[in-house]
Amino acid sequence: MALGEFDLIARFFTRPVRRAVLGVGDDCALLQPTPGMQLAVSSDMLVEGRHFVSTVPPERLGHKALAVNLSDLAACGAQPLAFTLALALPRADEAFLAPLSRGLLALADEHDIELVGGDTTAGPLTLCITVFGEVPPGQALRRDGARPGDGVWVSHPPGSGLGDARLGLEALRGRVVLSGEGFEQARRAMEMPQPRVALGLALRGVATSAIDLSDGLTGDLGHVLARSGVGATIDADALPTSAALAAQPLALRRECTLAGGDDYELAFTAPAAHAQRVLVAASSAGCAATRIGRIEAAPGLRIVDARGAAVAATFPAFDHFKT
Ligand code: ADP
Ligand code: MG
């Protein structure tokens, strides 16, 4: 028997409410944020063929759809509360929906948040999630707080770095050949990003600005510089990399770390006097943080190598309507 719209919502996307006042099944969900807190809200959409390839395992797709949204809350230093899911599906296929929902709800459980509603329609495979989080007034990490003299930092997995998601994409495209283990690691980076929620919370009061890396470091950092009215110099050789990426030719390494996209790490700034607090925040959050440069008054992003020589790197930020 074919699975109908309401059967599939009930089977795959409905669980007993926990913190919400009202969840899936009514016209609206009702949330009760902690009194006095500000709501942090963000949406991110994943479109097949645009943000993911059709061969991605559905469980990982469910994970990634929520992970990229949680990454935005992380970049604001917000505590996640709940999310909604708007889903367009070519067909109501149980063999696809069961693992999709499993991957999605497993990450939700990890962050103790719940799915409170959404919309389901037939159409080209698209997942649009809206996340709701909360943050004390005035404490959200924003893009406009970087000041000259601040250090520029990136988070990364301990022992690894930026650019692996892009490396995985290039391997899928056949542009690079990786060993079995190197490929699995890069593919995992691309398909299973780990949102830095704990780091975002730990950086409240420590970082002066933050952004999550979705479109590539140089482009995303450029947004912080523009919003803050400052510039920066970063050291391309200071960017942390995995062993698999470190083994690649320099040009590819630079492209992946500086402009790779899909990292879902945090780039943030902090006064020099807070360096130790940044390292404590990262280790308490189970990740690493590396200082890659400094904020300067002169506008623009300057990229140098370890010897201080300019790196000719003009990678455009990813833009859906230009690339
Ligand atoms: P409405 O007609 O009021 O828009 P729907 O019939 O679209 O409501 O959805 C019925 C209920 O199921 C609503 O509570 C809605 O929030 C929820 N819902 C629909 N799709 C999803 C989904 N993909 N995940 C979670 N909840 C969903
Ligand atoms: Mg509806």
Side-chain angles (χ1 to χ4, degrees), residues 5 118-120:
E5 176 186 336
D119 199 20
T120 304

Coordinates of all heavy atoms in Angstrom, one line a residue, residues 5 118-120, ligand 2:
E5 N 0.9 11.1 2.6 CA 1.5 12.3 3.2 C 1.5 12.2 4.8 O 2.5 12.3 5.5 CB 0.9 13.5 2.7 CG 1.4 14.8 3.3 CD 0.6 16.0 2.9 OE1 0.0 16.0 1.8 OE2 0.6 17.1 3.6
G118 N 6.6 21.1 10.3 CA 7.2 21.2 9.0 C 6.1 21.2 7.9 O 4.9 21.6 8.1
D119 N 6.5 20.8 6.7 CA 5.6 20.7 5.6 C 6.2 19.6 4.7 O 7.4 19.4 4.6 CB 5.6 22.1 4.8 CG 4.3 22.2 4.0 OD1 3.4 21.4 4.2 OD2 4.3 23.0 3.0
T120 N 5.3 18.9 4.0 CA 5.7 17.8 3.2 C 4.9 17.9 1.9 O 3.7 18.0 1.9 CB 5.4 16.4 3.9 OG1 6.0 16.4 5.2 CG2 5.9 15.3 3.0
Ligands
MG2 MG 1.1 22.5 5.3

